[in-house]
Amino acid sequence: MMHSLPQTWLSRLLLLVCLLVSRSITEEVSERCSHMIGNGHLQFLQQLIDSQMETSCQIAFEFVDQEQLKDPVCYLKKAFLLVQDIMEDTMRFKDNTPNANVIVTLQELSLRLSSCFTKDYEEQDKACVRTFHETPLQLLEKIKNVFNETKNLLKKDWNVFSKNCNKSFEKCSSQGHDRQQEGPSDPQLPGFVFRLLVPSIILVLLAVGGLLFYRQRWRSHREPQTVDSPMERPEGSPLTQDEDRQVELPV
């Protein structure tokens, strides 16, 4: 009886210690996630945007299709992972330049933020994702928006990105399957039609121009013959009058 009492108190003490430790860890994670993205990071992104040259050249990158994924939390969960890939593979600047240093800072921030996101099933990695063709400026605006919206949601609820988004991702997969059955539109079709149509128009114009040229040449060759032909002389011309006079002379 005397031995069981200390064991009971010891187990209760260990349980209390575990609860206190887990609570302190939770508070630490909450504090870290809520304030991890600062205004300085957003200013870095704005400086990166302002330093870009305005151009119509476009780059291809994979990003979340917001038309398919309406849930804002699931959208940011998916976009956050894609932003990491874009910063690693697409957004490349010369080493040791201000822009390159900004990218390194944002990559380090993304690694720390990973602890604030729960990972969904790997087979859903490509769900709700499509290829975009946009300018570098538009891409950077997308990335800044992801960080800004993530910052706002984490301040409201540090645990917001623990939401299970597999059902939302499955809906995107089913929509993509339905679109494939309906027959996806070929993005290269307009270009193919254009390349086929332009030579056809040029051939038609050349043919019409050749016909007009041939007709003009035919008219230019025919006009001298019609002027010199005796069959088309007018009745009152001097030549016809001389001929008439010759006929009326007495024999």
Side-chain angles (χ1 to χ4, degrees):
M1 185 71 178
M2 295 295 293
H3 291 288
S4 61
L5 187 60
Q7 291 178 356
T8 303
W9 278 105
L10 182 61
S11 61
R12 290 179 178 178
L13 182 61
L14 290 174
L15 179 60
L16 180 60
V17 170
C18 291
L19 290 175
L20 291 174
V21 170
S22 63
R23 181 177 179 180
S24 63
I25 292 175
T26 301
E27 290 178 352
E28 181 182 353
V29 173
S30 170
E31 184 71 18
R32 188 174 69 247
C33 291
S34 299
H35 300 88
M36 194 172 293
I37 303 177
N39 292 328
H41 296 106
L42 300 178
Q43 290 176 2
F44 284 152
L45 277 165
Q46 188 59 49
Q47 291 173 7
L48 198 61
I49 292 171
D50 294 339
S51 66
Q52 296 302 303
M53 180 179 66
E54 292 186 358
T55 176
S56 60
C57 296
Q58 297 182 338
I59 56 177
F61 59 93
E62 289 188 339
F63 207 73
V64 190
D65 187 356
Q66 200 165 11
E67 293 182 357
Q68 295 187 60
L69 193 56
K70 304 292 186 181
D71 189 300
V73 174
C74 295
Y75 171 82
L76 289 174
K77 281 191 72 174
K78 177 69 68 173
F80 175 75
L81 296 174
L82 294 172
V83 165
Q84 290 179 321
D85 295 337
I86 290 172
M87 289 192 295
E88 180 69 26
D89 302 328
T90 306
M91 297 174 58
R92 294 181 177 273
F93 297 95
K94 187 177 180 181
D95 294 340
N96 299 321
T97 60
N99 287 348
N101 294 334
V102 169
I103 295 299
V104 172
T105 301
L106 294 176
Q107 286 176 325
E108 293 173 350
L109 172 64
S110 297
L111 290 176
R112 295 195 301 272
L113 277 170
S114 298
S115 60
C116 307
F117 290 78
T118 58
K119 187 167 177 59
D120 298 293
Y121 294 135
E122 292 185 358
E123 56 263 26
Q124 302 290 349
D125 282 351
K126 294 299 181 182
C128 313
V129 176
R130 71 178 179 89
T131 301
F132 286 78
H133 295 84
E134 295 183 353
T135 64
L137 199 62
Q138 292 171 320
L139 171 58
L140 288 172
E141 290 284 0
K142 270 185 167 63
I143 292 175
K144 182 187 176 183
N145 181 66
V146 169
F147 277 99
N148 189 38
E149 293 299 322
T150 301
K151 173 178 176 289
N152 294 335
L153 288 182
L154 285 174
K155 277 192 172 183
K156 293 178 182 178
D157 180 9
W158 70 271
N159 201 31
V160 64
F161 293 111
S162 63
K163 179 178 180 178
N164 190 325
C165 293
N166 287 311
K167 290 185 178 180
S168 298
F169 297 158
E170 287 175 1
K171 290 180 181 179
C172 290
S173 300
S174 62
Q175 290 176 4
H177 182 68
D178 293 340
R179 289 180 180 180
Q180 288 180 356
Q181 288 182 343
E182 292 174 2
S185 59
D186 187 359
Q188 296 181 352
L189 185 59
F192 173 76
V193 172
F194 179 78
R195 290 192 298 269
L196 183 64
L197 189 60
V198 169
S200 301
I201 294 175
I202 292 175
L203 289 175
V204 171
L205 292 176
L206 288 174
V208 172
L211 289 174
L212 292 175
F213 177 75
Y214 175 78
R215 185 176 180 183
Q216 186 66 26
R217 289 288 301 274
W218 181 74
R219 285 182 175 179
S220 63
H221 280 80
R222 188 178 177 185
E223 284 177 356
Q225 295 178 2
T226 55
V227 172
D228 296 335
S229 175
M231 298 298 295
E232 297 183 4
R233 293 173 186 167
E235 294 181 358
S237 64
L239 291 176
T240 54
Q241 290 177 1
D242 291 342
E243 290 176 357
D244 293 340
R245 290 173 183 173
Q246 291 176 1
V247 173
E248 293 176 357
L249 287 176
V251 180

